[in-house]
Amino acid sequence: VPIPQAVVSAPAGSNCCSCCCCPPACTCEWTDWIDVSYPNASDKNSGDYETFENIMAYNSSWVCAKVENISCRAEKFPNVPIEDLGQKVECSIDTGLICNNKDQTIAGLIPMPVCLNYQISVCCTPNRPECLPSTTTQTTTAPPSPTTSTVSSVPTSTTAPPPTPSGTPSSTTTSTTMPPSSTTASTTM
């Protein structure tokens, strides 16, 4: 009786140990605290925007293949959870941090209705091919080959019977022959 065995296959160039196959180190890596925006207390339309778009604008060499997790904190209150600060703040793996001055009220630890200065740290998937989601797109490149196409829409022949004298039932058949890939139509009246 054959005994079922587990088969493990590893991609080419993978890091294999002698006893088993070890997956590549693709766990997310936390960044240092990032602070590229500062709220303007005198502008109600301002706020603190530690968004991924602003981080890229500030530092074009910043690369995060995929944000898997995010941590947000107030610069002046680094050990207080942002939920306990009494401010309306969005901290999201999709956008980063957004705090709008116009959404703030005097509450909690904050004696004025403006955003605190926030910082974010993100856990990013390493920007390596073996760590990114794979797609099954296959591309094949072949040298160009000469192609000749001829398209003709002019009928090659058209025939119609001579007219019949009036007073007798008439029957007309029109036959049109088109090049291959076209259709031939016959109409009887």
Side-chain angles (χ1 to χ4, degrees):
V1 174
I3 299 172
Q5 296 180 348
V7 177
V8 178
S9 62
S14 66
N15 183 13
C16 285
C17 311
S18 60
C19 66
C20 62
C21 240
C22 304
C26 291
T27 55
C28 69
E29 299 168 1
W30 284 96
T31 65
D32 290 334
W33 289 102
I34 301 169
D35 187 357
V36 297
S37 171
Y38 193 85
N40 180 349
S42 64
D43 184 358
K44 194 73 171 165
N45 294 318
S46 178
D48 195 17
Y49 306 101
E50 306 301 335
T51 63
F52 304 131
E53 183 179 330
N54 285 348
I55 294 167
M56 284 294 301
Y58 181 80
N59 180 1
S60 61
S61 66
W62 186 75
V63 176
C64 184
K66 179 184 176 213
V67 177
E68 292 188 29
N69 205 344
I70 188 168
S71 181
C72 300
R73 70 181 186 184
E75 177 191 36
K76 297 225 183 274
F77 303 98
N79 298 319
V80 178
I82 61 171
E83 300 84 24
D84 296 344
L85 293 173
Q87 294 212 316
K88 183 177 177 187
V89 175
E90 178 187 347
C91 181
S92 152
I93 63 169
D94 297 319
T95 55
L97 179 132
I98 297 175
C99 180
N100 294 306
N101 285 346
K102 65 184 176 187
D103 297 334
Q104 308 312 317
T105 58
I106 297 174
L109 301 171
I110 319 310
M112 56 188 167
V114 296
C115 294
L116 291 168
N117 185 41
Y118 288 93
Q119 301 169 324
I120 67 169
S121 177
V122 292
C123 197
C124 295
T125 300
N127 192 20
R128 295 193 308 264
E130 66 271 16
C131 299
L132 302 176
S134 63
T135 57
T136 56
T137 304
Q138 188 173 20
T139 305
T140 304
T141 306
S145 60
T147 304
T148 305
S149 297
T150 304
V151 177
S152 174
S153 61
V154 179
T156 55
S157 67
T158 302
T159 56
T164 58
S166 63
T168 60
S170 72
S171 172
T172 304
T173 302
T174 303
S175 175
T176 304
T177 305
M178 298 293 285
S181 80
S182 297
T183 58
T184 300
S186 289
T187 308
T188 305
M189 296 182 143

